[in-house]
Amino acid sequence: MRIGIIGATGWLGSALGGRLLAQGIVAPENLIALNRTGPRPDYQGHRGVVWARDVADLAGQSDVIVVSVRPGDWAGLGLQAQGRLVVSFMAGVRGERLAACGGRIVRAMPNAAAELGASYSPFWAAPDVTAEDRDTVRRLLSAIGTTDELAEEAQIDLMTALPGSGAAYPALMAVAMAGFMRDQGVEDAVAWRAA
């Protein structure tokens, strides 16, 4: 399966991409990345990641598309994803708006703990999302933590107030503390355990 991430070097996209690669869930050649600044020779310590030229190129190469951009950027993406599974990390962009891209829509709400593999990332799936799609979403989200499926789309909007933001504060503090320790010469694994 080829996974495309729009916003691959942003906060959540980068956490997902890096952890998918680190855990072997996706091989570098099956990860299609797109960002605003262009290709990088190394992505999260891995070479061989495919860099898309634009949104259309990413969609053409991907079986599953993760949209990890600011909600205000959605309208300008012009994503056409007919027949593909589309997982949105955007808060506030409703399923009916997302469905205009032609894909099977899932909305997920990860948080800053994704960088640590400890995000709680609930998701909501549109009616045309298959059982196989749901398994794919659970596998992807397992790379960054735990998940539950929500029964109603309105519930995913509620999640922006709790797991979508609440855990961000301690997670960002842990990232800062571990970074400080590394800057002082403490080994990475030790710095993370200390934080």
Side-chain angles (χ1 to χ4, degrees):
M1 178 177 356
R2 293 173 61 87
I3 309 296
I5 302 176
I6 301 173
T9 56
W11 176 35
L12 292 173
S14 181
L16 176 66
R19 295 191 65 81
L20 287 171
L21 292 167
Q23 294 176 22
I25 294 172
V26 175
E29 64 272 12
N30 290 326
L31 182 66
I32 318 305
L34 180 65
N35 66 9
R36 291 180 182 179
T37 58
R40 298 180 179 181
D42 176 294
Y43 179 74
Q44 296 287 3
H46 296 269
R47 295 194 177 279
V49 168
V50 178
W51 288 91
R53 291 182 312 275
D54 54 30
V55 171
D57 184 35
L58 180 134
Q61 294 187 66
S62 303
D63 301 306
V64 177
I65 299 168
V66 177
V67 182
S68 184
V69 299
R70 291 181 182 99
D73 294 339
W74 171 248
L77 285 182
L79 176 63
Q80 295 300 308
Q82 284 72 18
R84 291 177 181 77
L85 177 60
V86 176
V87 180
S88 168
F89 286 176
M90 296 178 292
V93 181
R94 307 270 310 156
E96 64 269 7
R97 279 187 63 204
L98 295 166
C101 75
R104 297 180 313 281
I105 303 303
V106 170
R107 291 181 62 202
M109 189 53 55
N111 59 45
E115 293 177 307
L116 309 174
S119 176
Y120 175 60
S121 307
F123 74 93
W124 167 83
D128 61 342
V129 173
T130 67
E132 184 179 349
D133 291 337
R134 285 173 164 81
D135 289 342
T136 296
V137 171
R138 286 184 190 96
R139 184 161 168 81
L140 292 176
L141 295 176
S142 75
I144 56 174
T146 59
T147 189
D148 286 309
E149 182 173 357
L150 303 173
E152 299 173 22
E153 185 175 12
Q155 294 173 345
I156 199 74
D157 294 325
L158 293 173
M159 295 298 164
T160 62
L162 293 175
S165 64
Y169 304 110
L172 289 172
M173 177 63 87
V175 169
M177 291 185 325
F180 173 78
M181 298 293 276
R182 281 193 312 269
D183 291 347
Q184 304 309 308
V186 174
E187 183 182 324
D188 190 58
V190 173
W192 280 112
R193 279 193 293 276

